Structures are given as C-alpha cells and as structure tokens.
Amino acid sequence: LDGVASDSVEDPHVRGNRAAVSREAFVPPAAWAVPGDLADGVGPRVLEAGCGEGYGAQVLLGTTDRQRVVAVDYDAAAITHVGATYPGVAVLCGNLVALPFAGGAFDSVVSLQTIEHLWDQPGFVAECARVCAEEGRLMVSTPNRLTFSPGVGRGEKPLNPFHANELDAEELVGLLDPWFAVEAVLGV
C-alpha cells in the first residue's frame, strides 16, 4: 500500500490547521449514509480507522469517485471478512494508536463508532492528525454518553461493557481540539 511505513511510525505532530467534522450520534449500520455535505468533504484518499465489518468503508468507496479507501482494524477476523466481502477496499490489520502509514497519507480519516472502544483516545486522535494531509478532514461518530449511558458521569465506566470511555459533545470537542479545528458537531 502506498504510504505504509516500512519499519517505524513517525511521532504524532500537529501539521497545520485541518478541519474536522465530528458526530456524536449513533448511526446504526442499516441506516448508514454519508450525507451530501459530508460526502463532499471526503477527499480522494480515505482511511477508515476501525472498520469492523467493513460496510462503512464500502459505503465511502461508493459515495463518489475515490482513488482509494483503506480500512484498518485490530481484529484479524474482521480484516479477513472485509477483504473477502468488499474487494474494492484495501484492508489491513493494525493498531489505531500506531497506524502503519506515512504522515499526510490520507485526505480524509473516517472513524465510525470506534473511539469509545479505545483506551488511548488522545493517542488515536493524534495518529489521525498525523496521517491526515495538511488540509485533510477527520469525521468521527461515537455514542453520546448522555444518551447511551444515562446517569453515568465523565470518566465513569459506561453501561456498554465493550466501551472503554464514552464522551459527551463537549468532551469530544475537547479531545479533537488540540489537533483539529472542529467545524461541526451533529447529533441527537
């Protein structure tokens, strides 16, 4: 794959004032769609970080003419499934806090319903910034802690046992702000 680092990954660093569109709403797979205004902002070189089953990467591939959609997930079984099911999507197994790509390799990084599963959320956002081109864009969705774990405070264990940390809108913006200029937060 173009942009894959050979032996090491560059240190995360700020590479300019990139715009981010973030979502705090849960979007169930059956209803996945990339709204026109968001699809217009997705560049030709797209990374889906935390692709899971791969359906989102396939949707991104089909929204407009993409030169490349690369899907990365930590789970080898998921990667095998994506490769077999969506042959147009380049796929590889990798750690989202140590992405195996050169800095600036992607115009857009998309991460749907992934960040809440990660223990090192700041490290993940830093890696997204590192692999995102100078004027690139990050699009991230995550469940709103206030809706999905009502009564659970910041930093407390979410109700979903598979989530490491859920965020509210303010927390999400605070997490993204050191690396991205947040354009919009949409949600329920």
Side-chain angles (χ1 to χ4, degrees):
L1 297 170
D2 293 339
V4 175
S6 56
D7 294 315
S8 63
V9 176
E10 297 174 30
D11 291 331
H13 58 280
V14 177
R15 299 168 32 87
N17 190 13
R18 288 174 302 282
V21 173
S22 53
R23 299 187 64 206
E24 57 160 330
F26 173 74
V27 182
W32 277 10
V34 180
D37 58 337
L38 296 182
D40 291 343
V42 176
R45 300 171 302 150
V46 181
L47 170 64
E48 185 183 9
C51 66
E53 191 275 337
Y55 181 75
Q58 181 64 31
V59 169
L60 288 166
L61 186 63
T63 55
T64 60
D65 293 331
R66 303 279 174 249
Q67 291 176 355
R68 158 173 282 163
V69 173
V70 178
V72 175
D73 202 279
Y74 191 72
D75 184 76
I79 292 305
T80 300
H81 170 79
V82 174
T85 308
Y86 306 110
V89 175
V91 62
L92 68 100
C93 194
N95 185 333
L96 298 182
V97 297
L99 292 166
F101 304 105
F106 297 96
D107 300 302
S108 302
V109 177
V110 176
S111 185
L112 307 171
Q113 304 304 108
T114 301
I115 198 167
E116 65 275 8
H117 296 276
L118 303 176
W119 291 103
D120 186 1
Q121 293 174 339
F124 169 66
V125 175
E127 274 296 275
C128 290
R130 185 185 66 76
V131 302
C132 205
E134 182 82 21
E135 298 300 322
R137 179 172 281 188
L138 171 68
M139 297 181 197
V140 60
S141 69
T142 187
N144 184 342
R145 178 184 47 79
L146 301 176
T147 303
F148 287 84
S149 290
V152 174
R154 289 182 175 181
E156 293 179 8
K157 178 68 180 145
L159 298 178
N160 184 324
F162 300 104
H163 292 178
N165 185 42
E166 292 177 353
L167 306 163
D168 60 38
E170 185 178 317
E171 289 172 299
L172 179 60
V173 170
L175 185 63
L176 298 174
D177 192 53
W179 295 281
F180 294 95
V182 177
E183 287 181 341
V185 176
L186 311 171
V188 294

